[in-house]
Amino acid sequence: HRGYAAAYRTVLAEVEGAVSAHARAELEARSEAGVADAGSAGSGSQDTREDAPPDACKVVVVGHSLGGALAALCASRLAHDPDVTRLGASVECVTFGQPRVGDGEWARGVDERTPRLTYTRVVKAGDLFARVPTSGFWLPGGNGGRFEVEYAHAGALVWTSAGDDEVRASARVGEGAPAGFWTDARMANPISVARDHAGYAYFFEKEELKRAWPSRDVLFPR
């Protein structure tokens, strides 16, 4: 999406530069201690999130709404960063109420060709902002009227109730949206949409939601 890409470019150098600098500093410290780079061990093999050692570094990127869109772009790039790769670090991205930021090709690239990345989208009830931009008859003006654009989400999905007391459904990486996700009646009520989109602040205060949260193995089967 042109707008989200432009917004991310305003912080790209600062954010990615800071992560790369930290990774290089850690690599230098390891070199001085005689520890090999994780990305250069063996015959050119690289750790992925499945086989990384338990004490490996992790980069966590989190965002809500527009911040979620930027977080998704950031995490998908950091997962391919040379210094992060050499460090053997995994990248985890969690977004709340995040709009769609790319087309189907982008989503497939994130899901299928970014093994270091663990990416979860959290959507509360009828949060309409997590279901746009659309790919049908309505498109934002920033897309130049190109109706062939097919926006798509990447990552795993956790869809919760309006009352934060249950997980309505979840979808693994590569799966489509669960039944009812696109027809939630709360999307037709602007007040419900606003409440759902703004309702992530105290998300995990209810023990019921914590207990119902799908495990990592459910969302990211090996």
Side-chain angles (χ1 to χ4, degrees), residues 186-213:
R186 291 178 65 85
M187 292 190 294
N189 185 333
I191 296 177
S192 296
V193 169
R195 287 176 175 171
D196 290 344
H197 188 62
Y200 299 96
Y202 303 100
F203 208 55
F204 293 109
E205 288 195 346
K206 291 191 176 181
E207 292 297 325
E208 299 94 329
L209 186 60
K210 293 180 183 179
R211 289 194 294 268
W213 205 260

PDB file of all heavy atoms in Angstrom, residues 186-213:
ATOM      1  N   ARG A 186     -21.224  -6.314  13.890  1.00  0.00           N
ATOM      2  CA  ARG A 186     -20.727  -5.115  14.567  1.00  0.00           C
ATOM      3  C   ARG A 186     -20.047  -4.157  13.594  1.00  0.00           C
ATOM      4  O   ARG A 186     -19.913  -2.959  13.896  1.00  0.00           O
ATOM      5  CB  ARG A 186     -19.756  -5.508  15.688  1.00  0.00           C
ATOM      6  CG  ARG A 186     -20.415  -6.216  16.858  1.00  0.00           C
ATOM      7  CD  ARG A 186     -19.379  -6.606  17.907  1.00  0.00           C
ATOM      8  NE  ARG A 186     -18.739  -5.462  18.539  1.00  0.00           N
ATOM      9  CZ  ARG A 186     -19.226  -4.794  19.569  1.00  0.00           C
ATOM     10  NH1 ARG A 186     -20.390  -5.151  20.094  1.00  0.00           N
ATOM     11  NH2 ARG A 186     -18.563  -3.777  20.097  1.00  0.00           N
ATOM     12  N   MET A 187     -19.638  -4.653  12.440  1.00  0.00           N
ATOM     13  CA  MET A 187     -18.996  -3.774  11.458  1.00  0.00           C
ATOM     14  C   MET A 187     -19.954  -2.759  10.868  1.00  0.00           C
ATOM     15  O   MET A 187     -19.531  -1.760  10.297  1.00  0.00           O
ATOM     16  CB  MET A 187     -18.370  -4.612  10.343  1.00  0.00           C
ATOM     17  CG  MET A 187     -17.185  -5.443  10.784  1.00  0.00           C
ATOM     18  SD  MET A 187     -16.300  -6.191   9.389  1.00  0.00           S
ATOM     19  CE  MET A 187     -17.535  -7.323   8.756  1.00  0.00           C
ATOM     20  N   ALA A 188     -21.270  -3.002  10.992  1.00  0.00           N
ATOM     21  CA  ALA A 188     -22.262  -2.091  10.433  1.00  0.00           C
ATOM     22  C   ALA A 188     -22.592  -0.937  11.369  1.00  0.00           C
ATOM     23  O   ALA A 188     -23.281   0.004  10.970  1.00  0.00           O
ATOM     24  CB  ALA A 188     -23.536  -2.864  10.105  1.00  0.00           C
ATOM     25  N   ASN A 189     -22.098  -0.986  12.589  1.00  0.00           N
ATOM     26  CA  ASN A 189     -22.388   0.041  13.585  1.00  0.00           C
ATOM     27  C   ASN A 189     -21.139   0.860  13.853  1.00  0.00           C
ATOM     28  O   ASN A 189     -20.180   0.349  14.428  1.00  0.00           O
ATOM     29  CB  ASN A 189     -22.885  -0.621  14.872  1.00  0.00           C
ATOM     30  CG  ASN A 189     -23.327   0.394  15.920  1.00  0.00           C
ATOM     31  OD1 ASN A 189     -22.866   1.522  15.946  1.00  0.00           O
ATOM     32  ND2 ASN A 189     -24.244  -0.032  16.785  1.00  0.00           N
ATOM     33  N   PRO A 190     -21.108   2.132  13.456  1.00  0.00           N
ATOM     34  CA  PRO A 190     -19.891   2.937  13.648  1.00  0.00           C
ATOM     35  C   PRO A 190     -19.436   3.015  15.101  1.00  0.00           C
ATOM     36  O   PRO A 190     -18.233   3.077  15.375  1.00  0.00           O
ATOM     37  CB  PRO A 190     -20.305   4.320  13.121  1.00  0.00           C
ATOM     38  CG  PRO A 190     -21.437   4.053  12.190  1.00  0.00           C
ATOM     39  CD  PRO A 190     -22.167   2.881  12.761  1.00  0.00           C
ATOM     40  N   ILE A 191     -20.385   3.014  16.030  1.00  0.00           N
ATOM     41  CA  ILE A 191     -20.010   3.084  17.446  1.00  0.00           C
ATOM     42  C   ILE A 191     -19.310   1.801  17.866  1.00  0.00           C
ATOM     43  O   ILE A 191     -18.272   1.835  18.559  1.00  0.00           O
ATOM     44  CB  ILE A 191     -21.255   3.339  18.324  1.00  0.00           C
ATOM     45  CG1 ILE A 191     -21.849   4.712  18.000  1.00  0.00           C
ATOM     46  CG2 ILE A 191     -20.886   3.259  19.808  1.00  0.00           C
ATOM     47  CD1 ILE A 191     -23.126   5.022  18.753  1.00  0.00           C
ATOM     48  N   SER A 192     -19.822   0.655  17.440  1.00  0.00           N
ATOM     49  CA  SER A 192     -19.183  -0.626  17.757  1.00  0.00           C
ATOM     50  C   SER A 192     -17.802  -0.722  17.122  1.00  0.00           C
ATOM     51  O   SER A 192     -16.855  -1.204  17.744  1.00  0.00           O
ATOM     52  CB  SER A 192     -20.062  -1.790  17.268  1.00  0.00           C
ATOM     53  OG  SER A 192     -21.303  -1.813  17.941  1.00  0.00           O
ATOM     54  N   VAL A 193     -17.697  -0.249  15.886  1.00  0.00           N
ATOM     55  CA  VAL A 193     -16.405  -0.275  15.200  1.00  0.00           C
ATOM     56  C   VAL A 193     -15.377   0.546  15.973  1.00  0.00           C
ATOM     57  O   VAL A 193     -14.240   0.109  16.205  1.00  0.00           O
ATOM     58  CB  VAL A 193     -16.544   0.265  13.756  1.00  0.00           C
ATOM     59  CG1 VAL A 193     -15.162   0.500  13.140  1.00  0.00           C
ATOM     60  CG2 VAL A 193     -17.343  -0.707  12.908  1.00  0.00           C
ATOM     61  N   ALA A 194     -15.777   1.753  16.386  1.00  0.00           N
ATOM     62  CA  ALA A 194     -14.858   2.620  17.120  1.00  0.00           C
ATOM     63  C   ALA A 194     -14.456   1.994  18.448  1.00  0.00           C
ATOM     64  O   ALA A 194     -13.281   2.049  18.847  1.00  0.00           O
ATOM     65  CB  ALA A 194     -15.504   3.982  17.352  1.00  0.00           C
ATOM     66  N   ARG A 195     -15.420   1.406  19.151  1.00  0.00           N
ATOM     67  CA  ARG A 195     -15.114   0.771  20.436  1.00  0.00           C
ATOM     68  C   ARG A 195     -14.184  -0.421  20.260  1.00  0.00           C
ATOM     69  O   ARG A 195     -13.245  -0.603  21.050  1.00  0.00           O
ATOM     70  CB  ARG A 195     -16.412   0.333  21.116  1.00  0.00           C
ATOM     71  CG  ARG A 195     -17.229   1.485  21.691  1.00  0.00           C
ATOM     72  CD  ARG A 195     -18.535   0.988  22.263  1.00  0.00           C
ATOM     73  NE  ARG A 195     -19.269   2.071  22.920  1.00  0.00           N
ATOM     74  CZ  ARG A 195     -20.520   1.960  23.354  1.00  0.00           C
ATOM     75  NH1 ARG A 195     -21.167   0.807  23.201  1.00  0.00           N
ATOM     76  NH2 ARG A 195     -21.117   2.987  23.946  1.00  0.00           N
ATOM     77  N   ASP A 196     -14.445  -1.224  19.250  1.00  0.00           N
ATOM     78  CA  ASP A 196     -13.596  -2.396  19.040  1.00  0.00           C
ATOM     79  C   ASP A 196     -12.180  -1.987  18.650  1.00  0.00           C
ATOM     80  O   ASP A 196     -11.198  -2.564  19.119  1.00  0.00           O
ATOM     81  CB  ASP A 196     -14.202  -3.302  17.958  1.00  0.00           C
ATOM     82  CG  ASP A 196     -15.471  -3.996  18.432  1.00  0.00           C
ATOM     83  OD1 ASP A 196     -15.715  -4.018  19.658  1.00  0.00           O
ATOM     84  OD2 ASP A 196     -16.232  -4.498  17.580  1.00  0.00           O
ATOM     85  N   HIS A 197     -12.077  -0.978  17.787  1.00  0.00           N
ATOM     86  CA  HIS A 197     -10.753  -0.573  17.329  1.00  0.00           C
ATOM     87  C   HIS A 197      -9.941   0.069  18.445  1.00  0.00           C
ATOM     88  O   HIS A 197      -8.710  -0.046  18.466  1.00  0.00           O
ATOM     89  CB  HIS A 197     -10.878   0.408  16.160  1.00  0.00           C
ATOM     90  CG  HIS A 197      -9.571   0.724  15.509  1.00  0.00           C
ATOM     91  ND1 HIS A 197      -8.796  -0.232  14.883  1.00  0.00           N
ATOM     92  CD2 HIS A 197      -8.889   1.900  15.392  1.00  0.00           C
ATOM     93  CE1 HIS A 197      -7.698   0.333  14.409  1.00  0.00           C
ATOM     94  NE2 HIS A 197      -7.722   1.615  14.705  1.00  0.00           N
ATOM     95  N   ALA A 198     -10.620   0.737  19.366  1.00  0.00           N
ATOM     96  CA  ALA A 198      -9.928   1.401  20.473  1.00  0.00           C
ATOM     97  C   ALA A 198      -9.860   0.520  21.727  1.00  0.00           C
ATOM     98  O   ALA A 198      -9.372   0.970  22.760  1.00  0.00           O
ATOM     99  CB  ALA A 198     -10.621   2.712  20.810  1.00  0.00           C
ATOM    100  N   GLY A 199     -10.338  -0.705  21.612  1.00  0.00           N
ATOM    101  CA  GLY A 199     -10.516  -1.526  22.804  1.00  0.00           C
ATOM    102  C   GLY A 199      -9.408  -2.492  23.137  1.00  0.00           C
ATOM    103  O   GLY A 199      -9.634  -3.456  23.880  1.00  0.00           O
ATOM    104  N   TYR A 200      -8.207  -2.257  22.626  1.00  0.00           N
ATOM    105  CA  TYR A 200      -7.104  -3.185  22.880  1.00  0.00           C
ATOM    106  C   TYR A 200      -6.258  -2.796  24.097  1.00  0.00           C
ATOM    107  O   TYR A 200      -5.372  -3.545  24.499  1.00  0.00           O
ATOM    108  CB  TYR A 200      -6.178  -3.268  21.665  1.00  0.00           C
ATOM    109  CG  TYR A 200      -6.838  -3.770  20.397  1.00  0.00           C
ATOM    110  CD1 TYR A 200      -7.327  -2.875  19.448  1.00  0.00           C
ATOM    111  CD2 TYR A 200      -6.957  -5.128  20.145  1.00  0.00           C
ATOM    112  CE1 TYR A 200      -7.925  -3.328  18.281  1.00  0.00           C
ATOM    113  CE2 TYR A 200      -7.552  -5.591  18.981  1.00  0.00           C
ATOM    114  CZ  TYR A 200      -8.038  -4.677  18.053  1.00  0.00           C
ATOM    115  OH  TYR A 200      -8.624  -5.132  16.899  1.00  0.00           O
ATOM    116  N   ALA A 201      -6.509  -1.638  24.680  1.00  0.00           N
ATOM    117  CA  ALA A 201      -5.623  -1.118  25.721  1.00  0.00           C
ATOM    118  C   ALA A 201      -5.552  -2.029  26.945  1.00  0.00           C
ATOM    119  O   ALA A 201      -4.487  -2.208  27.537  1.00  0.00           O
ATOM    120  CB  ALA A 201      -6.074   0.283  26.139  1.00  0.00           C
ATOM    121  N   TYR A 202      -6.693  -2.600  27.339  1.00  0.00           N
ATOM    122  CA  TYR A 202      -6.722  -3.461  28.521  1.00  0.00           C
ATOM    123  C   TYR A 202      -7.018  -4.906  28.120  1.00  0.00           C
ATOM    124  O   TYR A 202      -7.742  -5.631  28.792  1.00  0.00           O
ATOM    125  CB  TYR A 202      -7.778  -2.947  29.503  1.00  0.00           C
ATOM    126  CG  TYR A 202      -7.551  -1.521  29.900  1.00  0.00           C
ATOM    127  CD1 TYR A 202      -8.273  -0.489  29.307  1.00  0.00           C
ATOM    128  CD2 TYR A 202      -6.587  -1.194  30.852  1.00  0.00           C
ATOM    129  CE1 TYR A 202      -8.046   0.832  29.658  1.00  0.00           C
ATOM    130  CE2 TYR A 202      -6.354   0.129  31.212  1.00  0.00           C
ATOM    131  CZ  TYR A 202      -7.090   1.140  30.606  1.00  0.00           C
ATOM    132  OH  TYR A 202      -6.861   2.440  30.950  1.00  0.00           O
ATOM    133  N   PHE A 203      -6.414  -5.295  27.021  1.00  0.00           N
ATOM    134  CA  PHE A 203      -6.776  -6.533  26.347  1.00  0.00           C
ATOM    135  C   PHE A 203      -6.635  -7.770  27.214  1.00  0.00           C
ATOM    136  O   PHE A 203      -7.490  -8.637  27.209  1.00  0.00           O
ATOM    137  CB  PHE A 203      -5.913  -6.662  25.091  1.00  0.00           C
ATOM    138  CG  PHE A 203      -6.555  -7.449  23.997  1.00  0.00           C
ATOM    139  CD1 PHE A 203      -7.799  -7.100  23.518  1.00  0.00           C
ATOM    140  CD2 PHE A 203      -5.919  -8.528  23.443  1.00  0.00           C
ATOM    141  CE1 PHE A 203      -8.402  -7.817  22.504  1.00  0.00           C
ATOM    142  CE2 PHE A 203      -6.503  -9.252  22.421  1.00  0.00           C
ATOM    143  CZ  PHE A 203      -7.751  -8.891  21.951  1.00  0.00           C
ATOM    144  N   PHE A 204      -5.553  -7.889  27.957  1.00  0.00           N
ATOM    145  CA  PHE A 204      -5.278  -9.131  28.668  1.00  0.00           C
ATOM    146  C   PHE A 204      -5.572  -9.042  30.157  1.00  0.00           C
ATOM    147  O   PHE A 204      -4.989  -9.773  30.953  1.00  0.00           O
ATOM    148  CB  PHE A 204      -3.822  -9.546  28.439  1.00  0.00           C
ATOM    149  CG  PHE A 204      -3.548  -9.932  27.016  1.00  0.00           C
ATOM    150  CD1 PHE A 204      -2.785  -9.110  26.201  1.00  0.00           C
ATOM    151  CD2 PHE A 204      -4.049 -11.093  26.481  1.00  0.00           C
ATOM    152  CE1 PHE A 204      -2.531  -9.447  24.878  1.00  0.00           C
ATOM    153  CE2 PHE A 204      -3.812 -11.446  25.163  1.00  0.00           C
ATOM    154  CZ  PHE A 204      -3.044 -10.623  24.364  1.00  0.00           C
ATOM    155  N   GLU A 205      -6.483  -8.160  30.544  1.00  0.00           N
ATOM    156  CA  GLU A 205      -6.837  -8.069  31.952  1.00  0.00           C
ATOM    157  C   GLU A 205      -7.745  -9.209  32.391  1.00  0.00           C
ATOM    158  O   GLU A 205      -7.845  -9.516  33.573  1.00  0.00           O
ATOM    159  CB  GLU A 205      -7.496  -6.721  32.248  1.00  0.00           C
ATOM    160  CG  GLU A 205      -6.511  -5.554  32.210  1.00  0.00           C
ATOM    161  CD  GLU A 205      -7.082  -4.309  32.839  1.00  0.00           C
ATOM    162  OE1 GLU A 205      -8.313  -4.268  33.060  1.00  0.00           O
ATOM    163  OE2 GLU A 205      -6.311  -3.382  33.119  1.00  0.00           O
ATOM    164  N   LYS A 206      -8.466  -9.821  31.440  1.00  0.00           N
ATOM    165  CA  LYS A 206      -9.373 -10.911  31.777  1.00  0.00           C
ATOM    166  C   LYS A 206      -8.662 -12.251  31.644  1.00  0.00           C
ATOM    167  O   LYS A 206      -8.095 -12.567  30.590  1.00  0.00           O
ATOM    168  CB  LYS A 206     -10.611 -10.872  30.878  1.00  0.00           C
ATOM    169  CG  LYS A 206     -11.511  -9.678  31.160  1.00  0.00           C
ATOM    170  CD  LYS A 206     -12.834  -9.805  30.446  1.00  0.00           C
ATOM    171  CE  LYS A 206     -13.760  -8.654  30.813  1.00  0.00           C
ATOM    172  NZ  LYS A 206     -15.076  -8.765  30.133  1.00  0.00           N
ATOM    173  N   GLU A 207      -8.720 -13.028  32.699  1.00  0.00           N
ATOM    174  CA  GLU A 207      -8.068 -14.329  32.703  1.00  0.00           C
ATOM    175  C   GLU A 207      -8.679 -15.270  31.678  1.00  0.00           C
ATOM    176  O   GLU A 207      -8.000 -16.154  31.160  1.00  0.00           O
ATOM    177  CB  GLU A 207      -8.145 -14.952  34.099  1.00  0.00           C
ATOM    178  CG  GLU A 207      -7.318 -14.227  35.148  1.00  0.00           C
ATOM    179  CD  GLU A 207      -5.838 -14.278  34.819  1.00  0.00           C
ATOM    180  OE1 GLU A 207      -5.383 -15.307  34.279  1.00  0.00           O
ATOM    181  OE2 GLU A 207      -5.138 -13.276  35.097  1.00  0.00           O
ATOM    182  N   GLU A 208      -9.981 -15.080  31.382  1.00  0.00           N
ATOM    183  CA  GLU A 208     -10.634 -15.958  30.407  1.00  0.00           C
ATOM    184  C   GLU A 208      -9.947 -15.884  29.052  1.00  0.00           C
ATOM    185  O   GLU A 208      -9.769 -16.895  28.368  1.00  0.00           O
ATOM    186  CB  GLU A 208     -12.116 -15.579  30.241  1.00  0.00           C
ATOM    187  CG  GLU A 208     -12.934 -15.705  31.499  1.00  0.00           C
ATOM    188  CD  GLU A 208     -13.025 -14.410  32.262  1.00  0.00           C
ATOM    189  OE1 GLU A 208     -12.055 -13.613  32.199  1.00  0.00           O
ATOM    190  OE2 GLU A 208     -14.054 -14.188  32.912  1.00  0.00           O
ATOM    191  N   LEU A 209      -9.558 -14.671  28.660  1.00  0.00           N
ATOM    192  CA  LEU A 209      -8.905 -14.502  27.357  1.00  0.00           C
ATOM    193  C   LEU A 209      -7.513 -15.125  27.370  1.00  0.00           C
ATOM    194  O   LEU A 209      -7.098 -15.749  26.387  1.00  0.00           O
ATOM    195  CB  LEU A 209      -8.823 -13.021  27.001  1.00  0.00           C
ATOM    196  CG  LEU A 209      -8.302 -12.702  25.595  1.00  0.00           C
ATOM    197  CD1 LEU A 209      -9.192 -13.329  24.538  1.00  0.00           C
ATOM    198  CD2 LEU A 209      -8.225 -11.188  25.382  1.00  0.00           C
ATOM    199  N   LYS A 210      -6.799 -14.967  28.452  1.00  0.00           N
ATOM    200  CA  LYS A 210      -5.463 -15.569  28.550  1.00  0.00           C
ATOM    201  C   LYS A 210      -5.548 -17.083  28.418  1.00  0.00           C
ATOM    202  O   LYS A 210      -4.744 -17.708  27.720  1.00  0.00           O
ATOM    203  CB  LYS A 210      -4.821 -15.197  29.883  1.00  0.00           C
ATOM    204  CG  LYS A 210      -4.493 -13.723  30.049  1.00  0.00           C
ATOM    205  CD  LYS A 210      -3.860 -13.474  31.410  1.00  0.00           C
ATOM    206  CE  LYS A 210      -3.578 -12.009  31.642  1.00  0.00           C
ATOM    207  NZ  LYS A 210      -2.982 -11.768  32.988  1.00  0.00           N
ATOM    208  N   ARG A 211      -6.541 -17.673  29.093  1.00  0.00           N
ATOM    209  CA  ARG A 211      -6.676 -19.142  29.047  1.00  0.00           C
ATOM    210  C   ARG A 211      -7.101 -19.631  27.668  1.00  0.00           C
ATOM    211  O   ARG A 211      -6.738 -20.735  27.252  1.00  0.00           O
ATOM    212  CB  ARG A 211      -7.671 -19.603  30.105  1.00  0.00           C
ATOM    213  CG  ARG A 211      -7.170 -19.474  31.547  1.00  0.00           C
ATOM    214  CD  ARG A 211      -8.062 -20.256  32.488  1.00  0.00           C
ATOM    215  NE  ARG A 211      -9.403 -19.686  32.545  1.00  0.00           N
ATOM    216  CZ  ARG A 211      -9.796 -18.777  33.433  1.00  0.00           C
ATOM    217  NH1 ARG A 211      -8.939 -18.336  34.349  1.00  0.00           N
ATOM    218  NH2 ARG A 211     -11.037 -18.314  33.424  1.00  0.00           N
ATOM    219  N   ALA A 212      -7.884 -18.799  26.954  1.00  0.00           N
ATOM    220  CA  ALA A 212      -8.395 -19.209  25.639  1.00  0.00           C
ATOM    221  C   ALA A 212      -7.410 -18.954  24.510  1.00  0.00           C
ATOM    222  O   ALA A 212      -7.631 -19.418  23.386  1.00  0.00           O
ATOM    223  CB  ALA A 212      -9.707 -18.475  25.348  1.00  0.00           C
ATOM    224  N   TRP A 213      -6.331 -18.230  24.786  1.00  0.00           N
ATOM    225  CA  TRP A 213      -5.414 -17.851  23.715  1.00  0.00           C
ATOM    226  C   TRP A 213      -4.779 -19.084  23.078  1.00  0.00           C
ATOM    227  O   TRP A 213      -4.291 -19.966  23.770  1.00  0.00           O
ATOM    228  CB  TRP A 213      -4.317 -16.946  24.268  1.00  0.00           C
ATOM    229  CG  TRP A 213      -3.710 -16.060  23.227  1.00  0.00           C
ATOM    230  CD1 TRP A 213      -2.543 -16.256  22.570  1.00  0.00           C
ATOM    231  CD2 TRP A 213      -4.265 -14.846  22.726  1.00  0.00           C
ATOM    232  NE1 TRP A 213      -2.325 -15.234  21.684  1.00  0.00           N
ATOM    233  CE2 TRP A 213      -3.357 -14.352  21.755  1.00  0.00           C
ATOM    234  CE3 TRP A 213      -5.436 -14.129  23.000  1.00  0.00           C
ATOM    235  CZ2 TRP A 213      -3.612 -13.175  21.063  1.00  0.00           C
ATOM    236  CZ3 TRP A 213      -5.677 -12.951  22.296  1.00  0.00           C
ATOM    237  CH2 TRP A 213      -4.772 -12.495  21.349  1.00  0.00           C
TER     238      TRP A 213
END
